[in-house]
Structure formats: structure tokens, C-alpha cells
Amino acid sequence: MKTKEDKNSALKKRKKSILSVGFITILLFVMILGLMMYAQMLQEDLRDEVRNKLKEVSNQNVLIIQKEIEGDRNALIEIAERIGESGLSEEWEIVDTLRSIAPRYSFSRMGFYKPDGLAYTTDGVVMNISERDYFKEAMIGNFSLSELLIEMVNGEEVIVFSVPIVSDNKIIGGVFASYSIESLQEILSVSSFDGEGYTYIVKKDGSKVVDSANPISFQNMTNIFESMEQADERNGQSVEELKALLENGDKGYVIFYNKIGKYMYCTPLGINDWSLIEVVPVDVMETTTNYIMARTYIICMILIAVYTLIVITVFREEYKKKKQMRTLLYVDELTGGHTFAKFKEEIEKQMKNAEDIKKAFIVMDIDDFKLVNELFGYEEGDKLLRYLWRVLSDSCKGGEIVARRLADRFTLFLNYQEKEEIEKRVISMMEKIRQCSIGRETEYMLQPVFGIYYVEKSGENAEDMLTYATLAHNLAKKERDCFYVIYNDEIRGNMLQKKQLSDQMEHAYRHHHFVVYYQPKYEAETKKLAGAEALIRWRKSDGTMVSPGQFIPLAEETGFICKLDKYVFHEVCLAQKRFIEKGLKVVPISVNLSRRHLDNPEFINEYKAILDETQIPIECIQLEITESAMFEKQDQFISIIKRLHELGFVILMDDFGTGYSSLMMLKQIPIDVMKLDKTFVDDYNDIRGEQIIRCVMQMAQKLEIEITAEGVETEEQYVFLRGIGCDTIQGYYFAKPMPEEEYKKRMEQQ
Ligand code: C2E
Ligand code: CA
Ligand code: CA
């Protein structure tokens, strides 16, 4: 059978698997985040690398350009010096000289000009350049490099180098050489970044000096700012940044868009106000980045797939377990029927929707079912339970439900039109149950007991209904002459009263409202004090006494009696101690021992500890056990008496004659004193009674059991009992139970 622990461990496992899913989720999340961050960092690094490389390429290009220009400048300066030194002054002589050396240089054309502004080129053209800036500069002795100019002859874009010729410290003119922009473009067109990088040279105002022929560069650019603005509206900021760089002659990066994001690196060239601009797409290393990102995504995907698989597995397991739990919770494994949990759920549903409350909640069990297990074995017991289930469920009609709650305890929820129907059905169930034969040979009569509660109001809750039906059921078990009890308000009233009394008892115990009275016992022959019985009294706060008859049965029912008995035992020990210390000649005091102690033999050690603690000789205390206790648990009864005997207690059998004991039993049970019950004593003058007493006396004397007569009230009773050989007499004839002080006086009188 699945136990509560199984359910608990299933619950624990479930919690654990949910926790592990949570843990995996977090782990996965962290891993994916880590991977993403790593990829991001890598991408950043790659971009940094691109930028560094861009800067490097740019610097190289700047160097190349500077070197080219410088080389040309130096060459021209040297030519001018040589002409100046040669003393040539005629224009045709100088042009001839230039023509002869021109092929050595990369200039597209060379020429000589005179201070009057007329220029003579190597290809035979004469023109007036007096308006050109480079001419003006040369006339005041400066080298100059022109801005971008359009060749007057053929419209080619060129820059012009110009150097004055000094002869005899006099400027006799100058040489100039034009350098085709196309050549610069060619120098810069060397491919970088696998053809994705390209170079511009622009002026401070953004206008182009050298364009790029790369197809992915701006087409027909005249001004880089304009081209940027046209290419993408997001470039506004970039244009501003670039303008600032150019304006201040600074180096720096600018990101801009031309279809895709691009970096440009801007460096002043050191020639006029020109800057070299190197451009490369941001993602020029896209393939590498993409490769890394793709790998990252693949790993993420794999992780997610694995995770999904794990989660699916966990939840599938979960689902299975849940289903198992439901079965565990709702199906009674032994009978295959409903559990009480299911029953409760079902009837609460019914009660919610019910307009008609003609329903009965019934609790049923078999009296002494434990005996079936003990006598016929558990298999037979289980068989009986299944049989009970069948009988009960077969008697259910549509909408009615039955469940096994605990052991052999079943609950039913039935409908009715007239209440009598229910009683008839209960009787028929009882008859069917009784037909069950247990074991093979023995005829064992089953005693089913029912408690019936007729639902009183709509919306009533299952637990309350169970309580009421159980109250009726308990009553039916107590009253052995009926097998079913219908719940009524009186039962509830009694229960409430009992509950109140029980609470009061606890309170009284805590506040020492229980006191011990002593009823002396006298030797029949000599009328000397022979002992006493300790009897408990409840003294209420107002001083009134509650007699044991009112609270002992309840204390027995609740088990509270064990606490009380121990209390009385302790009090008696203390009293005896006081008596001994006073130098009184103490006689044994007997203390009552409830049958409830039979369930818990541990009390023996507790009593022994009290004796040890108070240092009372064991002979001072005797124990009374009622005869009827012996029938319920004979084996326990005998073993406990044996142990008490071993310790040295004298055992009295109380109320002899009220139970069903056969005299023969006395042989098996090792008791020392028999207390003849008051009913016996009262019957002494009827012949049968007298004979019985005599018979008992003989038997006891044979077994060497001492006899005490209880409840002796009259002289005649006393004389009779003394006559037949009773050893001691207890009763009102001699004394009623009395407080300790009074009892002490009696002792002192002796
Ligand atoms: P019991 O053990 O049979 O005690 C004897 C009862 O008979 C006492 O009633 C006592 O007062 C009463 N009695 C004695 N002589 C006479 C007499 O001549 N005439 C009449 N009519 N009655 C007499 P009590 O004290 O009311 O106790 C009733 C029962 O309560 C006791 O019956 C005993 O079973 C139980 N009881 C009392 N004290 C304790 C206790 O400390 N522990 C346990 N377990 N039960 C106790
Ligand atoms: Ca007694
Ligand atoms: Ca008695």
C-alpha cells in the first residue's frame, strides 16, 4: 500500500525536478549570454583591428603622396638651380633644355615663364600665366604648389609645381611642371582591404582633389560633404564631424553610410590644405565576423535544443508522476475503489450544486476488525475489506459514492426520499456483510457498525459531516446492543459537555484541584487499621467536590486517567513519607490503576522512579486493578502484573464479581488480594448470593489469596463477612473516604 511517506517523497522529487529545470534554465541563459557577449567582444575587436589597419593604410598612402610630391619638388628645384647657374637666358634655349630632360620625370608637361607672365611650354605652347598664383609666388622667390587647376591647353586636371630661376641674384623667370591628378589617382588606386578600401584627397572645404575610381566609392564626387549627404540621410552628424576634422587639420575616424556603414580615416597631407581620406566598410571583415557569429548561433541553437529536450523530458516525467499521484490520491490500492480524498471532492461538488439535501453521510466499520487480522491473517483481512467494498459499492445507486477512509472504516454518501429507506438499506448491507465467511472452518460472526448523519443544511462541509457521522458511529460501537446510530443534537450536546468537562479537568490538574482521600480498611477479626485505599476527589474552586463517578469514565476515555493515577501515586508516596517521618506506624495504601495503563507498560518505570525519588518502601503502596480490565488484554494484563510483582508490589483485584471472570481464571492470574465488590456484599442475605460468596472464599483461600470486602455498610454485613473468613473490611460501616488529616488522626488513635 502506498503510504503518506511515499506521497511525501513523490512531492519532494517533484520539487527537485522543478528546481533542476530552473537551474538548467538559468545555466543556459548564462551560457547564451556569455556566448553573445563573447561574440560581441570579438566583433568589437575585429572592428578595432579594421580601424587600426585603416589608419595604417592611410598613413602609408600619406607617406607615398608626400614622397612623390617632395621628389618632384626637389627635382624641379634642382632643374631651376641648374638653369640659373648655366647662364642661359633665352626662352628657346631654356625650353630646349627642359624638353631634353622632361622625359626623365613624371610631369605631364614642363615650361619656362618670364617675369612678363609669358610662359613657353615644352610642347610648344605660349600662354599668359600672369594671373596664376604660382607665377606670383615665384616672382617673389617662392616655391609653390598650386591648387587643382584645369590645364589651359587640354582641360586636364593638374597641379602645378613652380620654382623661380635665380641668376646673379636676380629672378629671371621660373620653371613650372604640371602633374596630372590622374597619376596621383593611380598611385592611390593600389588595392587595400581586398578591394573594399579606397582613398580620396579633399580640400578643407570638402571639394575633391583626388577622386577614387573604386566602383563602391562616391561616383562623380565634387564635394565629399555633398556626396555624403546625398548618400544617406543619417550622415548629417558624420558630415559635421568630418568638417571639424578638416577645418582643424586633425586626424580622426568618422563613421558614415553609403549603402552600408563605413569608416573613414582622415589625415592632413601637409600639402596645401589637403587631407587624405581612407575609407573602408565597417564590416570589411564581415566573413570572419559572420563565421564567428554563425558559430555562436549554432552553439546557442544546439544548447537551446538540448535544453528543450531536457525540459520536455522533465515535464513528461512530471506529468507521469502527477498522474501517478492522482491515482495514489484517488484510488484505494487495496479495493480499487475511491479514497476518502476523492470521496470528499465528489461530495463537496454535490453539496455545492445541491438544491435537494436529502442525503445521508454514513460511517461504517467492523467491530474488532483487528481480531480478523490477528485470528485469520492479513490476507484474509484484506479479502474481507474487498468484500466490504463490493457490498457497499453494489448498494450504491447513481450519484452515490463510497470510499475506504482508514483500515476498515468506510464512508458512504447516499440519497433518500424517506429516512426509513436509509435504515432499510443499512440493515440490508449489514445482512450481506454478515454473509461473508472468513477462514475455512471457523464460523466467525462479523459485527458491522454504522453511524448515520442526515444532512441538515445545504453547503455543509465534508469534514463536519464526517464528524457528526463519526460521533454517531462511536456511540454505536459503545452501545453494544445496536449496530447503527443516527446522529442527533443530543449526541452533539453530550460531546460538547464531555469536551467542556475534559477541558476543565486539564485546568483543574494544572491548578492542583485534585486531592487524594483515604478510605481506611480494617482487619475483620481485630477491627484494627489494616490499610487504606486512595481515592481521588476533584475540589472545585468554589469548594464543592466532584465525585469520581462523574469524571473518571471520561478521563478513561480520553486517557487523562493515566496522568491522574500517576499523580495520586505520587501524592500517596509523599503522604506515606510524611507519616513515616512523623513516626507513625504506617499501613499499606492501595492506589487504583486504570485499565488504560495496559496500553503503555512504560508507566511501571515511571512509578518505580517515584518510589526511588521519595524513598518509600514498596510495601507501603499497593496497586488495585479492576477485574474487567483483564478480559480485554489478558496477555498484557498478566505480563504487567508479573513485572509489578517482580518489583515487589502487592496486587489487588478490584471489583471482583462485576466482571465475567470465572473462578478458574484466578489460577492463571497471580494476584495477592481480591476485593469483593459491593454488589456481592449487598447480596449476602439472599441464599444464592451467600453461596456464591462462600464458594469464592473457599477458592481464594485455596489459592492463598487474601480477601477484602468492599462497601460494607452494616453491622450484619460485617458480622457475616467476618464469619465466612474475610480478612479485611472496607466500607462506610467503618469509615468513609476522608482527607489526609483525618486519616492521620485515625492512624494516631491506633
Ligand atoms: P473503587 O475503586 O471500587 O472504589 C471504591 C468506591 O466505593 C469509592 O467510590 C468509595 O467511596 C466507595 N465506597 C466505599 N465504601 C462504601 C460503602 O460502604 N458504601 C458505598 N455506597 N460506597 C462505598 P469513589 O471514591 O466514588 O470512587 C469510585 C470509583 O472511581 C472507584 O471505585 C474507582 O474505580 C474510581 N477511582 C477513584 N479514584 C481513582 C483513582 O485515583 N484512579 C482510578 N483509576 N480510579 C479511581
Ligand atoms: Ca479501588
Ligand atoms: Ca472496588
Side-chain angles (χ1 to χ4, degrees), residues 124-373:
V125 179
V126 179
M127 56 194 168
N128 191 336
I129 59 160
S130 57
E131 289 309 311
R132 297 282 204 198
D133 286 342
Y134 62 83
F135 168 77
K136 290 174 185 164
E137 284 293 318
M139 286 306 109
I140 53 171
N142 290 338
F143 163 82
S144 70
L145 176 65
S146 77
E147 289 297 338
L148 189 67
L149 297 173
I150 306 295
E151 191 74 88
M152 287 175 182
V153 190
N154 55 10
E156 200 184 359
E157 283 182 315
V158 292
I159 47 172
V160 178
F161 294 85
S162 142
V163 188
I165 299 173
V166 182
S167 181
D168 295 333
N169 290 331
K170 219 175 94 203
I171 296 169
I172 58 160
V175 279
F176 71 95
S178 45
Y179 186 91
S180 157
I181 286 297
E182 230 169 82
S183 312
L184 271 186
Q185 209 169 29
E186 238 161 69
I187 293 171
L188 293 177
S189 73
V190 175
S191 143
S192 61
F193 297 101
D194 286 334
E196 300 242 43
Y198 50 91
T199 319
Y200 301 120
I201 294 174
V202 294
K203 290 191 205 166
K204 214 182 209 169
D205 62 3
S207 57
K208 135 201 122 163
V209 178
V210 178
D211 201 355
S212 168
N214 195 318
I216 58 169
S217 67
F218 292 133
Q219 298 303 306
N220 306 321
M221 181 178 92
T222 52
N223 184 299
I224 192 160
F225 302 143
E226 282 165 22
S227 291
M228 279 166 77
E229 272 158 2
Q230 278 163 18
D232 198 302
E233 53 194 21
R234 284 174 289 178
N235 286 338
Q237 170 77 17
S238 319
V239 168
E240 289 312 309
E241 284 169 17
L242 182 62
K243 270 184 184 164
L245 286 176
L246 293 180
E247 186 62 41
N248 302 328
D250 283 340
K251 296 176 176 184
Y253 296 102
V254 173
I255 286 194
F256 73 102
Y257 298 92
N258 180 15
K259 291 192 187 88
I260 52 170
K262 294 189 183 198
Y263 286 123
M264 55 167 68
Y265 186 72
C266 165
T267 329
L269 257 178
I271 301 165
N272 300 326
D273 60 352
W274 300 353
S275 287
L276 184 129
I277 289 176
E278 198 68 44
V279 182
V280 73
V282 170
D283 283 321
V284 68
M285 300 223 194
E286 209 163 18
T287 38
T288 323
T289 322
N290 285 353
Y291 177 63
I292 289 165
M293 289 311 277
R295 253 203 340 208
T296 312
Y297 288 133
I298 287 170
I299 293 173
C300 286
M301 294 305 250
I302 291 172
L303 280 174
I304 288 169
V306 169
Y307 168 77
T308 317
L309 219 78
I310 290 173
V311 170
I312 287 173
T313 322
V314 167
F315 278 99
R316 246 195 13 212
E317 282 298 303
E318 262 317 285
Y319 178 73
K320 261 201 248 164
K321 265 183 220 151
K322 238 188 201 163
K323 232 169 110 179
Q324 269 172 2
M325 288 270 289
R326 273 191 92 76
T327 323
L328 242 152
L329 271 172
Y330 285 164
V331 179
D332 174 33
E333 250 192 302
L334 185 81
T335 60
H338 301 310
T339 59
F340 188 68
K342 173 77 182 163
F343 177 87
K344 211 170 123 180
E345 217 179 272
E346 196 58 41
I347 69 170
E348 267 169 4
K349 219 188 288 166
Q350 282 193 22
M351 287 307 290
K352 224 184 227 170
N353 312 325
E355 276 157 22
D356 168 26
I357 55 156
K358 286 190 166 173
K359 290 171 188 296
F361 190 115
I362 299 176
V363 170
M364 174 266 163
D365 80 349
I366 299 290
D367 209 19
D368 267 334
F369 173 76
K370 252 172 67 189
L371 260 182
V372 176
N373 279 334

Side-chain angles (χ1 to χ4, degrees), residues 533-535 590-592 624-626 654-655 675 710 730:
E533 179 180 0
L535 293 158
S590 59
V591 175
N592 289 289
E624 293 191 12
I625 307 182
T626 41
D654 203 358
D655 301 342
K675 290 186 82 178
E710 270 195 293
Q730 179 185 349

Side-chain angles (χ1 to χ4, degrees), residues 12-23:
K12 266 185 207 156
K13 273 187 200 158
R14 202 172 149 221
K15 263 188 197 161
K16 226 164 134 185
S17 66
I18 289 172
L19 271 179
S20 58
V21 169
F23 178 71

